[in-house]
Amino acid sequence: MSARKLTAKITGVGKALPEKRLTNFDLAKMVDTSDEWITKRVGIRERRIAAPGEYTSHLAIRAAADALKMSGLTADQIDLILVGTSTPDMIYPSVSCLVQKELGAVHAGVLDISAACSGFVYGASLAWGMIKAGLMKNVLVIGAEVNSSILNWKDRDTCILFGDGAGAAVFSAHDSDSDGVLAIALGGDGNCTDLLNLPNSGCRVFPDEPGRYIKMQGNEVFKQAVRNMAECALCVLARAGLTSQDVSLLIAHQANIRIIDAVAKRLELPKEKTFVNIADYGNTSAATIPIALCEALEQGRINKGDVIVIDAFGAGLTWGAMALRWA
Ligand code: UT7
């Protein structure tokens, strides 16, 4: 028998969604679209929209508080807070800093991660690395977004796709030779910056762009998402010494039901082994995976010993996957 190794396991999860629901029917009154088109082409029925004055940090704090409660830890036991977000309240102080203050996580380092929709998986990977190296014991990883603040509500190509929300997970040190986090794989492609971007969101001014709105070449992003998410999932499974036959549940980024189906097909996974909640929340960017993870647990879809693959893709381009055996 091999020696027990230091790894990480998830000890708590949480989620936070704004109250307000924006349905496809509501959107059809705002732009030239229909419930039928959105449901069929994307799989979304409604999304949540933050109230005026409800910011990314507020959602992040709620999700984090629930994750912390479930973990049974006290806030002062958290060593690091990582927040994946593209819609921080402001560039600095970071959202993670605002979360630290509210939770009273007085011993935690704080860092926001800019990896668009892949932010949670990048954060989870960093958490695993710090814990595996023996440098930290408990890392709080959050994905949180108020995408409604960066949508052009006159652009039907993008405004129908996104929603607001947050999800969180506590990663804790775990001694095991067989379960907890098994492997990670991260990737990116800086040659594709034009496919999906947020002009006027930093020091560069885009004189030809009307504002600070998500811009996307949907078709091309779709193809890149399917290819890279499938390859990344296979890569992480190979690193863990597993195949897709071993997977109990794929929790993929919720951008389009057709992307999730196509990735599952490439992995030869039956539909019942994918988790899908895009109908309720749309694409909440960095928050889709931790929200889905939380709901999969609530619904009893994850049991001890199950192999879970989380698989993300976003602007950059960025992508990343993590394989875990639930401990
Ligand atoms: O989270 C980051 C990663 N993001 C993604 O992975 C998103 C990837 N892309 C997608 O999910 C899809 O490309 C979209 C949902 C954005 C678009 O779906 P599509 O099947 O690629 O549609 P399309 O852009 O090829 O457009 C098909 C038709 C066009 O009409 P014609 O030219 O066939 O007459 C569009 O004008 O659908 C039309 N269309 C719409 N119709 C009603 C495009 N958007 C809409 C709309 N409502 N909102």
Side-chain angles (χ1 to χ4, degrees), residues 31-34 37-38 41-42 116-117 155-162 196 216-223 225-226 229 253-259 283-285 288 313-315:
V31 285
D32 182 16
T33 191
S34 65
W37 192 94
I38 302 171
R41 306 296 296 173
V42 202
C117 301
D155 176 15
R156 72 172 184 177
D157 290 346
T158 51
C159 77
I160 58 138
L161 298 172
F162 295 90
L196 179 50
M216 177 166 66
Q217 295 178 35
N219 275 311
E220 204 44 48
V221 172
F222 188 108
K223 285 184 231 159
V226 173
M229 285 170 77
H253 176 46
Q254 311 278 310
N256 188 321
I257 183 67
R258 291 184 294 130
I259 294 177
N283 182 347
T284 55
S285 304
T288 66
F313 177 86

Side-chain angles (χ1 to χ4, degrees), residues 251-303:
I251 300 183
H253 176 46
Q254 311 278 310
N256 188 321
I257 183 67
R258 291 184 294 130
I259 294 177
I260 300 170
D261 287 348
V263 171
K265 197 170 169 202
R266 288 193 182 200
L267 298 178
E268 296 179 6
L269 276 182
K271 276 193 183 179
E272 57 272 20
K273 289 194 172 180
T274 61
F275 188 84
V276 179
N277 64 358
I278 189 172
D280 300 330
Y281 309 126
N283 182 347
T284 55
S285 304
T288 66
I289 288 180
I291 292 172
L293 184 62
C294 189
E295 296 200 335
L297 279 161
E298 285 167 2
Q299 293 168 19
R301 303 234 356 229
I302 299 179
N303 296 298

Side-chain angles (χ1 to χ4, degrees), residues 80 82-85 111-130 139 141-143 171 184-190 232 286 289-290 310-322:
L80 179 64
L82 300 169
V83 179
T85 186
L111 174 71
D112 282 6
I113 295 173
S114 172
C117 301
S118 308
F120 178 82
V121 174
Y122 267 73
S125 302
L126 295 175
W128 185 51
M130 291 302 243
V139 181
V141 185
I142 303 165
F171 288 77
I184 57 157
L186 299 176
D189 186 355
C232 197
I289 288 180
I310 59 175
D311 195 8
F313 177 86
L317 301 175
T318 56
W319 55 86
M322 174 179 271

